């Protein structure tokens, strides 16, 4: 029997989207709203909210509606933003406590030039405690998420 996925407490706009399971009852979720990003920043004491808002604004600015002057011009905007924005993810334990935050390329597809970032609370190194969970995330997206490439403060 498969272990039950942890339930994350509602965050203003709903619940975070499940991405994949990780060892020891941990789970990766996608951060999809500014409210979720703000909560992640507060709980983890880092600035993911700033990066989330910046990347969301870039994606919104790149939107080119088919009928720019029509009332329906913003239909498809949210889908466009979801496709164009990097993936912001949070690793949670069974109780919903945040353990790590990741920023992956849009769609989880490595285009070569994207700077993947994975950090723990206060921008600490997540690899000593979360290596297996990070490897599970990499396997889910087909990405190599090694410490040298993904932890920005270990260089």
């Amino acid at each position: 029997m498969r272990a039950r996925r942890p339930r994350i407490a509602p965050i203003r706009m709903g619940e975070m989207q499940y991405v994949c399971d990780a060892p020891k009852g941990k789970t990766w979720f996608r951060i999809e709203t500014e409210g979720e990003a703000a909560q992640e920043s507060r709980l983890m004491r880092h600035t993911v909210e700033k990066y989330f808002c910046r990347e969301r604004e870039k994606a919104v600015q790149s939107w080119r509606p088919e009928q720019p002057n029509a009332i329906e011009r913003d239909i498809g905007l949210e889908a466009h933003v979801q496709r164009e924005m990097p993936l912001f993810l949070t690793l949670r334990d069974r109780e919903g406590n945040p353990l790590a935050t990741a920023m992956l390329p849009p769609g989880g597809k490595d285009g070569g030039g994207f700077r993947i970032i994975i950090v723990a609370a206060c921008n600490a190194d997540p690899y000593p405690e979360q290596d297996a969970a990070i490897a599970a995330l990499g396997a889910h997206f087909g990405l190599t998420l090694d410490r040298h490439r993904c932890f920005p403060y270990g260089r």
Side-chain angles (χ1 to χ4, degrees):
M1 175 182 246
R2 191 171 173 178
R4 214 175 115 213
R5 281 191 213 114
R7 187 154 170 82
I8 300 301
I11 303 172
R12 278 193 178 159
M13 304 296 274
E15 292 186 11
M16 287 189 218
Q17 179 186 355
Y18 166 81
V19 174
C20 68
D21 291 321
K24 299 182 181 178
K26 299 171 187 174
T27 307
W28 285 99
F29 293 91
R30 184 171 181 182
I31 298 169
E32 297 181 291
T33 68
E34 289 181 26
E36 292 169 351
Q39 182 177 33
E40 185 78 359
S41 285
R42 183 180 55 78
L43 293 172
M44 296 290 280
R45 298 177 313 278
H46 59 43
T47 59
V48 71
E49 178 184 15
K50 176 179 88 171
Y51 291 98
F52 181 93
C53 291
R54 182 184 328 164
E55 294 296 332
R56 179 171 174 71
E57 184 59 28
K58 282 180 9 187
V60 168
Q61 293 302 316
S62 72
W63 171 241
R64 301 292 175 255
E66 290 183 29
Q67 299 177 358
N69 297 325
I71 194 163
E72 301 91 0
R73 74 177 177 271
D74 289 337
I75 294 175
L77 172 61
E78 201 53 42
H80 170 79
V81 168
Q82 293 293 318
R83 278 191 311 273
E84 296 298 313
M85 249 181 99
L87 297 178
F88 289 85
L89 305 152
T90 180
L91 177 65
R92 301 293 175 107
D93 65 14
R94 283 186 174 101
E95 290 76 41
N97 299 309
L99 305 170
T101 307
M103 183 176 76
L104 303 182
K109 308 279 189 257
D110 194 1
F114 188 87
R115 184 171 178 210
I116 295 171
I117 297 174
I118 304 175
V119 295
C122 299
N123 291 320
D125 186 352
Y127 282 85
E129 293 182 25
Q130 310 307 337
D131 191 40
I134 294 167
L137 180 65
H140 178 78
F141 285 106
L143 297 170
T144 301
L145 301 177
D146 61 35
R147 181 183 183 276
H148 177 72
R149 177 181 183 200
C150 302
F151 179 60
Y153 308 108
R155 295 180 179 123

